[in-house]
Structure formats: C-alpha cells, structure tokens
Amino acid sequence: MPLRNLRLQQRLMAIMLVTSACVLVMTCAGFFAYEFLTFRQSMVRQLSTVAAIVADNSTAVLAFEDRKGAEEILSALKAERHIAEAGLYDGEGRLFSTYPKDADPGEFPPAPAAEGFRFGGGYLQGFQAVVQNDKRLGTLYVKSDLKAVTARFQLYGAVVVLVSGLAFLLAYLLSRALQRQISGPILALADTARAVSDRRDYSVRARQAGTGELGLLTDAFNQMLTQIQGQLTRMELLNQITRAISERLDLTSVFQVMLGALEENLAVDFICVCRYDADARLLTVTSVGAKAAPLAEELGMTANARIPIDDGLRQCVGGQFTYEPDITNLRHTFTDRLADKGLRSMALSPLLVDSGVFGILIAARKVPDGISRMDREFLRQLSDHGALAAHQAHLYGALQQAYEDLRRSQQAVMEQERLRALGQMASGIAHDINNAISPAALYTESILERETNLSTQSREHLQTIAHAIEDVAATVARMREFSRQREPNANSVPVQVNKSIQQVIDLTRSRWHDTPQQRGIVIKIKTELDPGLPPVMGVEGEIREALTNLFLNAFDSMPEGGTLTLRTRKGKDKDVIAEVSDTGAGMDEETRRRCLEPFYTTKGERGTGLGLAMVYGVAERHGAELQIDSAPGKGTTMRIVFPEAEEAIAERQAPEAPAAPLRLRILVVDDDPLVAKVLRETMKMDGHEVATANGGQAGIDTYLTARKSGAPFDLVMTDLGMPYVDGRKVAAAVKAASSATPVILLTGWGQSLLEDGDMPPHVDKLLSKPPKMADLREALASLAPKKTAGGIPA
Amino acid sequence: MPVLRSLFLMLLASVSAAVAQGAPDREHRVKAVFLFNFAQFVDWPDSVFADPDEPLVVGILGDDPFKAYLDEVVRGEKVNNRPIVVKRFRKVEEIKDCEVLFVSPSESPRLEGILSSLKQKHILTVGESEDFQRYGGMVNFATEGGKIRLKINLEQVQEAGLSVSSKLLRLADVSGARRE
Ligand SMILES: Nc1ncnc2c1ncn2[C@@H]1O[C@H](COP(=O)(O)OP(=O)(O)OP(=O)(O)O)[C@@H](O)[C@H]1O
Ligand SMILES: [Mg+2]
C-alpha cells in the first residue's frame, strides 16, 4: 500500500520509523566499517607487539644457539590463541626453531622476507628482526589466523542486532506517542469536517489546538465555518425574500416586503427605496421601512419626498453600489441631511434593470462603519432581486394594461360592426317604408284636400290615418339619423359646444323644471363648463339633437329627482369632451351593452329605443367617440369625445368648395390621350368646357392660339412628364403669356414632390395621378379666377 | 662500485688465508662466535673506555685455539658503535685495555694467579677448563653431550662491576650469589 493511502497516524509513524531505521542502518554501517579498519590495524599492532617481545627474548638463544631455549620462548606463544605458527631464523636465514615444536618446516617460508605484517591467504603473517645492540641476530616469523576477526565481528553483529532492535522498538513506542501530538488535532479537524459535510451542520466547531500552526489551522477552519454559516443564513434569507417578492405584482408591495425583511434581519437604522427619474435628476421616495418611519419623518424623507441628485448620489444612480463608512465629512447635501440626524454610515444600492438604474435602495446606520461587508453584499444581492421583481411587476402591469386595451378595442370593433349591420338593415327598412307610405300619404292628403263631401267620421278616420303616417315618417326619419352614413359633403362649421349645451338646457326647461315641479320633484342642473373650450367642427343641429336625447334619458332615469351635471373640458391631444352625468338609476350590464342598438328600450311603450342610436350616429359622423360609464344605482355618465378641431377643419374644408357651381374653360395637356379623355369627360360632367392637347408643344400652341382668337382658357392642366416639352416648360410658356392664368401640374410623383416642399416654378397646384374627383374639384374651386367665376354663359 | 668491492673481497680472502695457520675445529669456531656475542650481552662501566670511539678489545691469553677465525668473526662488527679488536697476550702483565678475555687452557697452571690479578680490572673472563670457575673465572664453556653449555659465576661478574643481560643468564648455568 503506498504511503499516501495510509491513514494519517500510520503515515506519521511510518515516516518516523523509516527515518530512525535509516539512521540506525547508517550508524551500524559506519560502526562496522570503522571497526573493520581499526580492528585489522589493532590486530597488526598486537601481533607485531607480540612478535617484537618474542624477538627481543630470542636474541640470546639465537646468539648462543640454544634450541631448547628457543623452543621455550616460542612456546610462550600458546597464550595467543590465534597464532598458528611461528619460527625463528638464525643470522644466516636458516630456520632455527618452530612453534609448534613439531610443525612441518616445509610449511614455513624458506627464508625470512622483509620485515612487517600483512594479511593474505586468510592469515595475518610477517617477520620481525631479532636484534641485540644493533646486531641483527636473526628473524622471527609469526602467522596468525583470522578467527579473531570473525569472532569479533560475530560479537559485533549480535550487539548491533540487539541494539538496533531495542532502538527500533524505542523509536516505535516514541513515534506512537509523539505522532498523537500532530495527528490528534488534524484528526479532530477531519472529524469536524466530516461531521459538517455529512450532516450539513455548519454550527459545529473544531476543538482548539493551542497556538502553533495546527492551532492556526483550526482557527482558520472554524472561522471558515462561521463564514459559511453566515453566508448560508444570508442565502436562505435572500431566498425567502426573493420568493416573497416574486409573488408580489405591484411595485409598492415588492418594496415593502423587501424593506420589511431587511429591517428584520439587518442592523439598520434607516432604510428606504427611491425611484429615480433620470431626466429630472430626481429621486422620489417610494417606500420607507416601517421601523425607519419616525426617522424618515425627521429627515423629510417620507413617501413621495423628492431628493435632487448631488455628488453623493451620482455614483449610485450611475449604477454603482456605494458604501460610505462615515458620512460626517463628505459635505454633500444629501449626506449632510442624514448626518444631521445622527446617521454615520450609509450604503446605496442601485436597482438595475437592462435599461438602467430605475431606483436606489438607501440603508444607513447611526454607528460609523456599521454595515459589514457581508451585509453590504446581502444588500447588493437583494437589490438585484428586488429590481428584477419590480421590473417584473412593472412588465406585468404593462401586459395587463395592453391586454385590457386590446380587449376593449376588440369589443368596440365588435360593437361597431354590430351597429353597422343594424344601421344597414335600418336604412333598408326606412327606404322601403318611405316608398310604401309615400302613396298612402299622398292619397290621404289629396283626398282630404279635394273630397269635400266626406262624412265627418270618414274625415276623422282619414285624419287619424294621416297622423299615423306622420308618426311613421317621424320614426323613419329618426331611424335614418342613426343609419345615415357619414357624408363628406355634410355642412360642418365650428360649433361651440358650451353654447349648444346652454341652448339644450333652455329647450328642455319644461322637462326638468316645470313638469317635475308640478309633481313636487326637484332636478338640479349643474354646469362645469370650460370657458376656454375650443370649437369642434360639426353640424350644430345634430349636436344639439344628440345632447337633447342624452338630457331626456337622464331625466327619465331620475323619476324621484336628482342632479344633472354638464361638463366640458379639453382632453389630451386637444380633444373636446362633453359629459352628461345624472344621479339616476344607472344601467345594468346588459342594458349598458345594448343601449345603443336601435329599438332597444327598457321603457316599454314610452320609449322607442332610437334615442341613443341617433346619438351614436351623430357621434360617428363627427368622428367622435361615445363613452358610457354606468352602474346600477350609481348614475350614468355619457361622454362624447370630439376629435381635435384643426384636423376636423382641414378635413372639412373641401366640402365648402362646390358651394357655387363653376363653369370654366380648361385646357388639358397630356401625351396620353386616354388620360386626357378621362379628364375631359369627368370635368365636362361638372359643367366645364374642356379642350385637350396631345403633348407639350401642342398644348402651348393651342393655348396661344385660343388667347389670340379672344377666347382664352381660364385654367391649364398639364402632365409633368412628356417628351421634348415637359410640364414645366408648358407652365413657363403659359405664365409668360398670362401670369394670371392658373396652372395645375399633374404628376405621378406629385405626392413626393409635395412632401419635399419642392413646388416647381410657375405652377399653382400639384395633383398626383390618378387624381380623385374631390381633389380635382377642390383644386378647380380654389384656383378659379374670381372675375370669371361662372363667366361662361350657361 | 662492483669492481672495487670485488677487489676488496679478493684482498680479504688472501689476508685471511695468510693469517690462518690452520682452521680451528667446529667447537672452537662456535666458541669464537660466542666470545664475540658476549660483548652483546654484557655491559661495562663507562669508566672502562676513555672515549666513545675506543675499540672494545677481545683478548686471548695464552695459546690461541681459534687461530685466525676470531679475527674473521669480529671483522667489521661493532658493539655500541665501538669497533672490536682482537688482541693476543702472552702474559697477564701485558693486559692493559681488554674487555673480554679468553684464558686459554694453556694457562691452566697459572690460572689462580691470572684470575686474581685481573680481579679489579672490569674484564669478563672466559675459560674452557673444568676448574676455571673454581679460581674465580666468570664464564666457562662446558661441553655436555657435544653441546656447549655456558656456566656463569654471577658473583665474580658482579664483583668485576659488569652486568650480564638476563637473556644470557636465562640460558646459562648460573652460580654464585646474586647481589640484589
Ligand atoms: N341616462 C340614463 N340612465 C339610465 N338608463 C338609460 C339612460 N340613457 C339610456 N338609458 C337606457 O337605455 C335605453 C335606450 O335608450 P334610448 O334613448 O335609446 O331609448 P329610450 O329612451 O328608451 O326611448 P326614446 O329615447 O326613444 O324615448 C333606455 O331604455 C334606458 O333603459
Ligand atoms: Mg331616450
């Protein structure tokens, strides 16, 4: 098993044991090497000492050739166990005596060699001179076996094994005891880590382990746990808040939930959310934390308070999270405002969506540097989530609004479609009825006029028939009012709605004053009329009629009396709004939906159901919108919204032209005979005298000839694009001859020329092809020379 | 100088041939070597020598049994840096400077007188007759079974102010009291 896979304790022990084993082996190896060398040296020394002694003792025996004495001396070598052989050589180098006594002389070196001892052949052997008083008397030979070395090293081996074993055992015991110093805290740490990861419990802490590196490690570990725990709590909180705010669909409650959560979980003294208006460079306080409300009062930062952007706020509305540990010395208007009320540290967190900063979150504390880093991070994250939720709420609102608008316009279209169908039907019926009753009415009338000999009873019957026919005619007339299509030629004039209302009040006096009073009922009339109201374009009689119908319906709805309020005001886009409000019974849903239908009435015999149908027809013809606000028991407000007057004027100017019929002499110049013919035929039908010329040059010639002959053209109408001589040249030639003769230029590009404001010279009017009848008429009318109007004999 | 050396050896050979009026027997050849070896194992008082280079004298009194062999033995040898000289004396009176004196058996009749006259002279006396020690001789060669035995009268030796190495004493038959 590799070392790294062992458990920590075993690892530490293994390391220590391996280390001590290495040290022991090295020590023993050194010891052996040293012993080996020194022991050999000491062996040599010892042997040479012995040899020297023996040699010294041998001088006399050699000198006096005493073999016996020599044997005695050599036999003393018995004491040295390892000396295997010894021999004395005399002065002539002959072997004189041996040890052991009966050794085979053949084993001895034949003659003494150089002095000294050396190892070889499993022995240590050598020669020692025998000298007396400088006189070399002979040589001693000694040979020692190496059993001593072996024995010695056997002993050493045993000692080494024993000592090593003991040392290793000691190392093992020591390492077992000592490794706990290191492994203990680490294992404790590991246990804690395991507990944390197994149980996801970040509240456990590792046991403190002194002040060394392990202590520091434990400290760092515990600190890390504290941080994780803090982060987790914050995250959970963030999660909770996020969930809570994502359920809200309106801004105010999103912010309220956000602030509530912050106040509950963060140490803050003041907290609020402001909306940011980038154009006005203003913050508007939107929501203030509940606990911060009294302080907000002091600061003047309650809901809807405005705060101009100053240098202290600029960074945040630029999209950056800002934190000021101490605001006392910043000297910005806004920070000073907070500082005056004892606030010291402040964090500003932008509320950001894709489009930019739409608000900021302000948090402040009364202690300097009171918002910790973790809290700031929390604020920042919460702001992000809040911004997102707020943005979502906003989108949701817009969606709701769009849906509502769509639904309403769809309903209006349906309504209109239904009414249009009804109108068609009504007009068909009206036509048929008119046709049907015409003979009846004519005959009834002529009989009553001419037949004088009718019985009184017959005459009465005929008169009843005539009345009935009149009634039918009146009904059909009202019906036609509803169904009549909008006619462009209708005689629109500027109408002062305020004046019309006043007139209607007067006209209906009997209905709201006289009759009710007789019955003891009071109907009050209130007017809230805008004196600066611009006129609307329309038919005065129709508008009056419509208002009358609305008045009458209002009176009908207030049989017990009430108030009729008449209001006029300018709406947006210069609309003119006229309102007729009553405090009567109001309409239920069904009635409100169907009241515009012809013949729909809730009044039975007393009503025809054509009143509002007629009002609707009038409104339609005036391009106005009819709005109905009503609920049972709440009264009814009928509102007519007239469109902008200018537009109406421009639109209605054309029908004024044909007031006086024109008869003009007109020259049409065009290289396309078909176009020229169509123009001629059309204008002829309107009573004009029309000549045509094919091409530019022909046109100029025709004009000049006519002028010379004393029958000049009143007006020239020419095409623009023609070969050789184009419309511009024709116009120039005409104006050169008679500058008063108007020239109309017809062009396929007329529209774009007009839009460019590029009116060619010598041209009075541009008309685009194909010209519309109305445009043509209007152009002729506006350009007709006054003196010649109707100048042509009929 | 191998040439010189061989020349010298030749010369040496001719001289020894001239000196030798006849070779001694094997016994006396050994005794001649022993005589020389005594100089190695005996210490003389410093007063015996006038200066450090003074030769150590081996003397022969009476007939010379070693003939020229002794000269051969001591030639070139040194004891304690002193050269060794062989002197032959006819009468006791001739002996002036002498350290080792071999008293020839020819002098046996006058032995008592010789030895007593040498008593105070720090001379190691060596003899080979039976009664040599009886008259105060110090070292005697005794022949037992073809082997030469040394007999030493330690008392006499010590009286003469000489000291004999214990190594020599160990292989000799020592008589006379030891002065401790
Ligand atoms: N101001 C109002 N308050 C309550 N209900 C009204 C009001 N105006 C109209 N209505 C309801 O709308 C119905 C239709 O009105 P409309 O004017 O078309 O007919 P009418 O008043 O019933 O008959 P007519 O106008 O021909 O006398 C009425 O029958 C009534 O139920
Ligand atoms: Mg009505």
Side-chain angles (χ1 to χ4, degrees), chain A residues 481-498:
Chain A
E481 281 298 306
F482 162 71
S483 61
R484 209 166 74 205
Q485 290 306 301
R486 177 181 166 184
E487 286 160 32
N489 289 359
N491 202 0
S492 285
V493 291
V495 177
Q496 296 292 344
V497 178
N498 285 352

Side-chain angles (χ1 to χ4, degrees), chain A residues 478 549-550 552-553 556 603 607-612:
Chain A
R478 285 189 77 187
N549 271 302
L550 295 180
L552 295 179
N553 282 348
D556 285 345
K603 297 169 189 167
T608 63
L610 284 169
L612 285 181

Side-chain angles (χ1 to χ4, degrees), chain A residues 317-429:
Chain A
V317 298
Q320 266 187 34
F321 185 93
T322 322
Y323 174 59
E324 299 293 355
D326 193 349
I327 56 173
T328 28
N329 292 315
L330 289 177
R331 296 274 158 266
H332 301 306
T333 326
F334 178 64
T335 49
D336 282 353
R337 189 163 160 184
L338 298 188
D340 280 351
K341 300 295 174 210
L343 293 167
R344 283 289 167 272
S345 45
M346 167 188 88
L348 304 173
S349 183
L351 301 175
L352 266 167
V353 288
D354 316 336
S355 45
V357 176
F358 72 89
I360 69 173
L361 175 76
I362 302 172
R365 281 198 73 183
K366 288 186 170 171
V367 282
D369 200 7
I371 304 171
S372 73
R373 241 187 48 181
M374 221 195 265
D375 285 354
R376 296 203 294 272
E377 183 57 22
F378 183 64
L379 271 177
R380 210 180 51 70
Q381 287 180 353
L382 190 61
S383 299
D384 285 352
H385 285 285
L388 211 66
H391 186 58
Q392 245 156 7
H394 174 74
L395 284 181
Y396 177 79
L399 197 70
Q400 201 76 354
Q401 182 65 41
Y403 172 72
E404 195 55 37
D405 286 353
L406 193 69
R407 202 181 57 85
R408 216 176 292 149
S409 69
Q410 194 187 15
Q411 228 167 26
V413 167
M414 266 165 57
E415 193 92 326
Q416 231 161 349
E417 203 48 41
R418 203 160 51 84
L419 291 174
R420 209 176 54 80
L422 277 171
Q424 266 173 4
M425 198 177 75
S427 83
I429 293 169

Side-chain angles (χ1 to χ4, degrees), chain B residues 14-15 18-19 25 44-45 53 58 62 85 92 98 107 113 118 124 136 147 152 165 180:
Chain B
S14 63
V15 168
V19 168
D25 51 16
W44 283 266
D53 298 333
V58 178
V85 176
V92 164
C98 184
E107 301 305 309
L118 294 174
L124 182 73
K147 273 198 167 182
I152 295 174
S165 163
E180 286 299 313

Side-chain angles (χ1 to χ4, degrees), chain A residues 478 553-554 556-557 582 586-587 591 595 600-603 606-613 636:
Chain A
R478 285 189 77 187
N553 282 348
D556 285 345
S557 76
D582 62 55
M587 289 182 256
T591 311
C595 66
Y600 178 82
T601 179
T602 56
K603 297 169 189 167
R606 287 188 299 107
T608 63
L610 284 169
L612 285 181
T636 303

Side-chain angles (χ1 to χ4, degrees), chain A residues 445-643:
Chain A
E445 224 170 308
S446 71
I447 289 171
L448 277 173
E449 254 174 42
R450 296 195 197 130
E451 303 289 326
T452 45
N453 53 346
L454 284 173
S455 67
T456 327
Q457 200 182 10
S458 297
R459 185 164 290 277
E460 269 174 22
H461 285 176
L462 275 176
Q463 268 166 352
T464 308
I465 291 172
H467 279 303
I469 289 173
E470 267 172 37
D471 278 356
V472 170
T475 299
V476 170
R478 285 189 77 187
M479 214 162 88
R480 281 202 53 180
E481 281 298 306
F482 162 71
S483 61
R484 209 166 74 205
Q485 290 306 301
R486 177 181 166 184
E487 286 160 32
N489 289 359
N491 202 0
S492 285
V493 291
V495 177
Q496 296 292 344
V497 178
N498 285 352
K499 216 174 89 189
S500 300
I501 287 175
Q502 211 58 57
Q503 285 171 349
V504 174
I505 294 173
D506 293 342
L507 281 171
T508 55
R509 186 176 184 83
S510 65
R511 283 293 311 271
W512 57 263
H513 186 258
D514 306 343
T515 321
Q517 238 174 21
Q518 287 169 9
R519 288 194 277 143
I521 296 166
V522 182
I523 292 182
K524 260 173 62 186
I525 304 282
K526 248 172 69 184
T527 51
E528 295 168 11
L529 305 179
D530 181 354
L533 197 70
V536 300
M537 290 310 293
V539 183
E540 200 174 2
E542 286 190 357
I543 292 173
R544 214 160 38 223
E545 187 71 13
L547 287 170
T548 308
N549 271 302
L550 295 180
F551 273 44
L552 295 179
N553 282 348
F555 299 146
D556 285 345
S557 76
M558 302 188 286
E560 309 301 322
T563 307
L564 179 72
T565 310
L566 304 159
R567 259 182 232 107
T568 56
R569 62 187 148 90
K570 289 193 284 281
K572 60 173 180 4
D573 299 335
K574 295 172 192 158
D575 288 348
V576 170
I577 299 172
E579 266 182 15
V580 179
S581 291
D582 62 55
T583 54
M587 289 182 256
D588 58 24
E589 177 58 29
E590 149 118 24
T591 311
R592 204 195 60 76
R593 197 156 43 77
R594 298 191 57 192
C595 66
L596 299 182
E597 278 177 32
F599 308 115
Y600 178 82
T601 179
T602 56
K603 297 169 189 167
E605 284 299 304
R606 287 188 299 107
T608 63
L610 284 169
L612 285 181
M614 183 266 164
V615 174
Y616 174 76
V618 169
E620 276 291 284
R621 280 196 295 282
H622 284 77
E625 199 187 324
L626 184 61
Q627 296 174 349
I628 305 168
D629 290 350
S630 184
K634 293 272 166 70
T636 303
T637 296
M638 304 295 289
R639 190 180 302 117
I640 308 176
V641 183
F642 291 97

